[in-house]
Amino acid sequence: MTSALAPFAWSLLLAAGVVVFSTVPLGAARSQANFQMADLAAPRAMFERLPAWGKRAAWAHQNCFEAFTLHAPAALLCLVAGVTSPVAIAAAWIHPLLRLAYIAMYVGNVPPLRGLCWAGSLTCSGLLYVEGLKALLAS
């Protein structure tokens, strides 16, 4: 792999790391809701016991999986197609940063900024698809 493709590999790894990181506020919320060993039988059943911010943490965690399923193929497409576009490289780096901010804005209950982070990260993934498809069609 050339160094020009490294941002796409890093973006993929960092986006996966964001999904893992999203368990931190969720775990804190479960702890505050008095998570017990019996809850392991049905951890989603304790949702109603979570504080309001904890419910938002659960929703943010679920959305992280959804975002990753859109972003991962886009990053892989750019890797396979050998994309070198500065726009795509910027989008690859910006996506995981926006997703981290998204978690903070969701848990912190800042809907306008959360929406901007969501739209921005979705746009980043879209740009990767566009640039990857352009590179494939040009080859």
Side-chain angles (χ1 to χ4, degrees), residues 37-137:
M37 292 305 284
D39 290 320
L40 289 174
R44 291 187 177 120
M46 73 175 295
F47 181 80
E48 293 305 319
R49 294 194 336 247
L50 295 176
W53 67 268
K55 291 176 181 174
R56 291 190 302 273
W59 294 324
H61 175 64
Q62 291 168 357
N63 185 264
C64 284
F65 283 103
E66 296 164 3
F68 185 75
T69 62
L70 290 173
H71 184 71
L76 290 171
L77 174 62
C78 288
L79 276 169
V80 169
V83 173
T84 58
S85 160
V87 170
I89 291 169
W93 286 115
I94 293 169
H95 179 271
L97 297 174
L98 287 173
R99 292 303 305 171
L100 279 175
Y102 172 86
I103 294 168
M105 295 303 106
Y106 210 147
V107 173
N109 199 23
V110 188
L113 291 179
R114 180 187 87 213
L116 287 173
C117 291
W118 176 84
S121 65
L122 186 62
T123 300
C124 287
S125 294
L127 286 169
L128 294 185
Y129 279 109
V130 168
E131 293 299 320
L133 289 172
K134 282 174 29 180
L136 279 180
L137 294 173

